[in-house]
């Protein structure tokens, strides 16, 4: 392994700690919304509504409890030349996790369908990705190991009130975001000649997001929706770095061990403000919906005073526009079928050496299908989310950590989600 620059290694490896610092959603939240491509801003009339538009829960007809979880999820992908020129790193991992628990309660002395007031208590998991993969570099003595896990949890309360054809709502969420990333790279050509790089990065972020929204039923068939989510306000953060590089008898040089450890670093949240606008049309057994989602720019600079050590952190998110569209068809009154498409264009800049630490840019496109079954008090849905991501990520040039280059990365995510709600 060639001479290593600490700053380059730190920024390169730590960038994987929050791989989605440029993206918005690897999969969709909610039963109805998740089947319609996430196009829910003008609807949001179920327990997932607070994640899209707080005002929508005022249109819930009866109090309800909703649960959904991933029965099965797989993320597969590849990074070109990541294991040296001409050798791609491929990964494939199983994902299992809950993505929503939410309850909506209609307030007031009126019958639930007539009450204009509604509150909701919600827990959402908009991001949960784990990877655990390894490979060798042609022979077993040359090995590469990478593991990472990222989880984002939103928990909060929502209040909405309906005024005739208009409803207004507001939400407050507390966020807990955790990430762990470990990497081990070993090359050994004899009992004395070897090179080893071990790295571990841990991050914790606690923050707050506020949201307001409105829904307007223009006619009995057409509704409009608008919601605004604030940038995440950081409450507490911590970032820990451990790096160890050991070499022995490489290019005739004596054995060396170098260690870098820091446990007092910061990790300011980079989640930007979000604006959503949507329109929905319903007639008989058919509902069509479409959303436009604007993610505002945001730059984060942490531990600037540790730049010389390579322990500073810079995240840059550009303004980006995403979209979603979906359809719902009632095959029978108790059997809804849904389908949709959506985008998740990255807000990260093109990766380059010396650029920000979010050095992966993956643009994601997705599709969804859903089939539901309704009874008098329950609704159960099976959703299929499929997402394909493509773009560039920064890697060492044939293991030269002093010279980085962008490489092609592709990723495919498949999630089967079961969602069930009980109305009372």
């Amino acid at each position: 392994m060639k001479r290593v620059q600490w700053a380059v290694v730190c920024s390169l490896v730590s960038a994987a700690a929050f791989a989605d610092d440029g993206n918005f959603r690897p999969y969709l939240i909610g039963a109805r919304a998740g089947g319609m491509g996430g196009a829910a801003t003008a609807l949001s009339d179920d327990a997932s509504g607070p994640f899209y538009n707080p005002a929508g829960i005022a249109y819930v007809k009866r109090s309800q409890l909703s649960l959904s979880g991933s029965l099965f999820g797989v993320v597969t992908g590849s990074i070109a030349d990541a294991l040296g020129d001409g050798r791609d790193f491929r990964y494939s991992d199983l994902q299992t996790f809950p993505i929503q628990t939410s309850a909506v309660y209609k307030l007031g002395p009126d019958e639930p369908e007539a009450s204009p007031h509604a509150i909701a208590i919600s827990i959402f998991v908009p991001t949960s990705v784990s990877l655990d993969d390894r490979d060798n570099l042609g022979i077993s003595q040359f090995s590469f190991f990478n593991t990472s896990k990222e989880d984002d949890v939103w928990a909060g309360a929502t209040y909405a009130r309906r005024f005739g054809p208009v409803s207004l709502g507001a939400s407050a969420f507390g966020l807990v975001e955790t990430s762990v990333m470990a990497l081990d790279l070993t090359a050994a050509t004899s009992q004395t000649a070897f090179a080893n790089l071990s790295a571990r990065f841990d991050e914790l972020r606690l923050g707050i997001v506020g949201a307001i929204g409105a829904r307007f039923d223009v006619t009995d068939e057409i509704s409009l929706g608008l919601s605004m989510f604030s940038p995440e306000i950081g409450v507490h953060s911590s970032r820990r770095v451990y790096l160890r590089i050991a070499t022995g008898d490489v290019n005739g040089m004596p054995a060396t061990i170098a260690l870098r450890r820091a446990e007092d670093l910061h990790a300011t949240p980079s989640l930007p403000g979000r604006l959503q606008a949507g329109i929905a049309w319903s007639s008989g057994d058919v509902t069509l919906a479409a959303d436009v989602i604007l993610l505002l720019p945001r730059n984060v600079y942490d531990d600037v005073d540790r730049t010389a050590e390579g322990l500073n952190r810079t995240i840059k998110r550009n303004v980006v526009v995403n979209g979603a569209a979906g359809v719902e068809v009632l095959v029978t009154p108790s059997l809804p079928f849904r389908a949709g498409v959506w985008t998740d264009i990255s807000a990260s800049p093109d990766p380059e050496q010396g650029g920000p630490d979010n050095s992966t840019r993956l643009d994601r496109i997705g599709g969804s299908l859903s089939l539901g079954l309704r009874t008098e008090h329950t609704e159960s849905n099976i959703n299929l989310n499929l997402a394909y991501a493509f773009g560039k990520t920064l890697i060492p040039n044939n293991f030269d950590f002093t010279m980085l280059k962008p490489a092609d990365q592709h990723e495919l995510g498949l999630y089967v989600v079961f969602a069930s709600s009980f109305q009372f």
Side-chain angles (χ1 to χ4, degrees):
M1 185 181 294
K2 297 183 179 181
R3 179 178 57 88
V4 174
Q5 293 179 347
W6 282 110
V8 174
V9 177
C10 284
S11 62
L12 175 67
V13 183
S14 66
F18 267 84
D20 274 343
D21 262 321
N23 288 95
F24 169 47
R25 52 186 179 187
Y27 49 80
L28 302 174
I29 295 286
R32 190 183 190 194
M36 298 178 68
T41 308
L43 299 172
S44 297
D45 51 358
D46 61 13
S48 68
F51 188 75
Y52 297 96
N53 184 353
I57 64 169
Y59 289 82
V60 171
K61 294 182 179 180
R62 291 188 291 182
S63 300
Q64 59 182 259
L65 173 66
S66 176
L67 303 171
S68 62
S70 174
L71 298 179
F72 181 78
V74 175
V75 173
T76 64
S78 65
I79 303 176
D81 299 331
L83 302 181
D85 291 345
R87 186 171 178 82
D88 300 347
F89 176 60
R90 303 183 185 278
Y91 52 93
S92 180
D93 296 272
L94 178 67
Q95 318 288 317
T96 57
F97 50 88
I99 60 175
Q100 174 192 324
T101 301
S102 189
V104 179
Y105 181 69
K106 298 300 292 287
L107 300 173
D110 299 325
E111 291 296 321
E113 292 190 20
S115 173
H117 304 274
I119 60 172
I121 303 295
S122 308
I123 299 176
F124 300 117
V125 184
T127 300
S128 181
V129 179
S130 61
L131 302 176
D132 187 355
D133 297 273
R134 63 211 68 199
D135 204 341
N136 62 67
L137 313 182
I139 59 176
S140 59
Q141 292 91 335
F142 289 68
S143 62
F144 177 82
F145 171 80
N146 180 45
T147 181
S148 63
K149 182 171 178 57
E150 178 180 350
D151 292 292
D152 299 348
V153 180
W154 293 36
T158 302
Y159 170 75
R161 181 174 180 179
R162 186 172 178 178
F163 305 88
V166 176
S167 67
L168 302 175
S171 298
F173 293 100
L175 276 61
V176 180
E177 302 164 284
T178 61
S179 178
V180 177
M181 186 270 183
L183 178 147
D184 186 88
L185 173 63
T186 300
T189 57
S190 70
Q191 292 183 342
T192 58
F194 69 91
N196 175 259
L197 167 64
S198 296
R200 181 181 172 96
F201 288 77
D202 299 82
E203 290 191 22
L204 169 66
R205 307 175 186 175
L206 304 179
I208 298 172
V209 167
I212 57 174
R215 174 175 158 175
F216 174 42
D217 285 1
V218 182
T219 68
D220 290 340
E221 297 181 339
I222 299 175
S223 61
L224 304 176
L226 178 66
S227 61
M228 295 178 288
F229 290 75
S230 72
E232 182 179 355
I233 301 171
V235 175
H236 170 76
S237 73
S238 65
R239 186 164 58 98
R240 296 182 296 172
V241 174
Y242 172 85
L243 279 171
R244 178 182 178 273
I245 298 175
T247 61
D249 195 24
V250 178
N251 296 327
M253 300 297 291
T256 60
I257 296 179
L259 179 67
R260 182 63 51 87
R261 182 176 181 178
E263 298 188 355
D264 57 346
L265 303 175
H266 303 89
T268 304
S270 65
L271 188 67
R274 168 165 49 113
L275 304 178
Q276 295 195 185
I279 183 171
W281 173 84
S282 297
S283 180
D285 296 333
V286 178
T287 299
L288 302 175
D291 279 5
V292 175
I293 303 163
L294 175 67
L295 300 177
L296 300 177
R298 185 170 188 182
N299 295 336
V300 170
Y301 305 95
D302 284 322
D303 302 299
V304 177
D305 57 328
R306 310 291 292 272
T307 301
E309 303 172 73
L311 297 173
N312 62 308
R313 189 182 82 114
T314 301
I315 300 296
K316 181 178 181 180
R317 297 184 63 130
N318 298 319
V319 63
V320 66
V321 177
N322 282 290
V327 59
E328 177 185 68
V329 178
L330 299 181
V331 181
T332 70
S334 61
L335 195 67
F337 170 79
R338 307 177 183 103
V341 293
W342 51 280
T343 67
D344 180 21
I345 306 302
S346 176
S348 296
D350 293 331
E352 60 178 351
Q353 184 163 344
D357 289 325
N358 50 329
S359 57
T360 295
R361 177 184 170 87
L362 292 178
D363 295 328
R364 187 178 286 119
I365 56 175
S368 62
L369 294 172
S370 172
L371 186 64
L373 177 63
R374 293 173 177 169
T375 66
E376 182 179 358
H377 292 286
T378 65
E379 180 174 344
S380 299
N381 295 270
I382 295 180
N383 290 10
L384 174 67
N385 283 187
L386 180 66
Y388 172 67
F390 56 93
K392 300 282 188 180
T393 188
L394 212 57
I395 65 169
N397 185 10
N398 204 29
F399 291 112
D400 181 357
F401 281 85
T402 68
M403 183 61 66
L404 306 181
K405 67 176 183 179
D408 293 331
Q409 181 171 354
H410 300 269
E411 188 172 277
L412 183 66
L414 175 64
Y415 299 91
V416 179
V417 179
F418 176 78
S420 182
S421 65
F422 177 77
Q423 300 179 358
F424 50 91

